[in-house]
Amino acid sequence: MRFLLVFTLLGLSLAPAAANPVRPETLGSAAAIEAAVDRLLARMTLKEKIGQLHFPSLAFPHEPQIEAVRRGEIGAMLNVVDPRYIKAFAAAARESRLGIPMLYAIDAIYALKITFPPPLAWAATWRPDLAELAAYDVAREARALGVNWTFAPMVDVSRDPRWGRVIEGAGEDAFLASAFSAARVKGYRRGGLATSVKHFVGYGAPEGGRDYTGTEISTPELLDRYLPPFKAALDAGSETVMASFNTINGVPVTMNRALVTDLLKKRLGFDGFVTSDFVAIGELVAHGVARDLEEASVLAFKAGIDFDMASGGYDLYLARAVADGRIKVGAIDDAVRRVLRVKYRLGLFDQTEADFANLPRPVDDAAVRRSAREVARESFVMLKNDKAALPLTAATGRIALIGSSADSAQHDHSWWGPSGHQKPETETLRAALEHRMRPGQTLEYAPAFADPCGREFKDKDAAIAVAKRADVVVYNVIEDCEIQGEGVSRTKLGLSGQQKTMLDALAQTGKPIVLVVETGRPLVLAEASQQADAILIAWHPGTEGRTALAEVLTGEVAPSGKLPMTFPRAEGQIPMSYNVLPTGRPWTGSRYTTGYVDEKQTPLYPFGHGLTYTTFAYDKIVLSEPKMPVKGTIDVDVTVRNTGSRAGAEVVQLYTRQLVASRSRPVKELRAFEKITLKPGEARTVRFRLKAQDLGFHNDAGRFLVEAAPYTVMAGGSSDTALLADFVVTRD
Ligand code: GLC
């Protein structure tokens, strides 16, 4: 008789987020802020209240908007990064009847002045502290312009690399995504920006991987896979939340009161404000749930969307909806209270003209570059390295560098960050490698292509000739050098343009091939993995990243990244992740088990995978106890040894599985990780503390359950774990 004590910790797993800490520079206490908000609110006209609940589209010229600010009809702006305009808007706000300060928002995510690698690469470092540092530096650059609100972090969990926006997140796992969500919120906030954790919720599960399509998400999936990184962001103090474009089970989130008000504001206790996504309120008409913008605006507002991003609906119609009773003034007041609360918490009411006098403020470029270099170094993932093709040592005489991307100074391939920024000096991979050639080593470069994307050949034969003269070929390919991220969904994830043809030709030369892949998502590299001796995922390395890439290729720095997302063998395997349910017929290779007849069941490279220039052995796993009560803990000691000839970093990963439960549970779930560095021959025992409460899950009724049951704990350097041990959670 198996004990299944169902603990209905109703909602305890989603206990209200810690109230946003009041910033020391403001009124000093939450109560003082609430009192100030109430006093201000009592003085506001309806028009002034509605003025706090929207910003206009990106329309220029700004002059009419500055006048609207002076009349108290606008309280925020998007993409104003010219300090002269920020000063003008700020002056207009000060001169308005109530002097309510402005929010200035941009997508300060990873590429403002210095371009960092994208957030998916931050996750590949498996070092949330680096993500915090990167976010802090990006925020500092934005704050120096006068910006004070960023539409970041994006924390959408996704198992679907067809969806281009995986570049902005932290991959397929809720636990890893939560760690990076909290770190990024802390970093952006420490850099002086209010954050907007996005896109609430489930946006990373679009049907067919096509951006903006609908999602079908069960309650347990919502609460256990997609919600945790948002809760982590709220616990870290995110002042705002951005609602997502998608429907969940047929209902657009932008009009979904159950999610925006009942779950986010009531159950999670979120006391900041919720903004729609860009013109998403107007899109309710296209969703077929509103006849026109007016009806859409009322629907969204009643759902709990406090702030209208650029649809114009709130500005045009909220006053009329109040006048005819469709919306209560009290509801308007609640939304305005949330916006004012955030502005007070940010200390905006303490600002004076002097705070805008010397914009843009200088930022220490060298420090930001150092961060960008460090993030890039630790983000690269070496997927394979047969015959020690890497690093390129002094013994590697002649090196052929093939691919026009290697000579491209293009920093950043997404449209994120304000346009028109003068991108600072960057070193191409070609230059960085040339600077690292030792005596006796030569580097010969051939672009092969006429464009940095590898679309058209410039001179394939010349590239082949260069390869034939070399001892090793470094071939730099790129997912796409023009568009990344939003609205870039793909059905084919192989090498684009002529890049695969070039690889086939290089493989014909018989030379060892090091494939360097610049990408913002997992690609399908099944054939390439047969042709290349080494594969290094470089993500989009950014302003300092190609220098970092040369450091890793030449062995100055060892690669230490691990995959935050599974690399599939074929698009047909997608959606794909490591934490799947076992099914009633786990894959055994026979026809009548879960698998494909035309493809292997396994990924090409699994979640958590990544190699370095040494090797590690997982010697043992030892539990402090063979069992723990539902409120107890167990220590798990994992001993790892460096079995190679040089120091190296390893991400020790801990996974668990509930072997028997009231619903089918994943074959493994990431519960903890630690990145350690070991000298050659060094062994170290890493201690993880497992809490039974962390092993719970939600059922269809949304109840959080921690069940007395048998479990397995597994450890390794990837989700293909090396060690395991069994334990039991008992009733008490
Ligand atoms: C977009 C994106 C969102 C972004 C917003 C403002 O369409 O979905 O992530 O923050 O517009 O640029």
Side-chain angles (χ1 to χ4, degrees), residues 107 151 165 198-199 242 245 277-278 309 415-416 486:
D107 291 278
F151 293 148
R165 302 200 74 167
K198 68 186 187 184
H199 304 80
M242 186 187 298
F245 287 124
D277 200 337
F278 192 73
M309 189 192 300
W415 59 279
W416 286 129
E486 181 175 355

Side-chain angles (χ1 to χ4, degrees), residues 55 58 78-79 106-107 109 150-152 154 165 168 198-199 203 211-212 242-243 245 276-279 309 415-416 486:
F55 60 49
L58 314 179
L78 173 63
N79 282 353
I106 60 171
D107 291 278
I109 301 174
T150 181
F151 293 148
M154 183 276 214
R165 302 200 74 167
E168 302 169 50
K198 68 186 187 184
H199 304 80
Y203 184 32
D211 211 345
Y212 315 117
M242 186 187 298
F245 287 124
S276 73
D277 200 337
F278 192 73
V279 305
M309 189 192 300
W415 59 279
W416 286 129
E486 181 175 355

Side-chain angles (χ1 to χ4, degrees), residues 377-395:
R377 277 181 187 141
E378 298 228 10
S379 70
F380 303 140
V381 182
M382 188 160 71
L383 298 181
K384 70 175 289 190
N385 189 26
D386 292 352
K387 294 178 268 181
L390 283 176
L392 306 173
T393 64

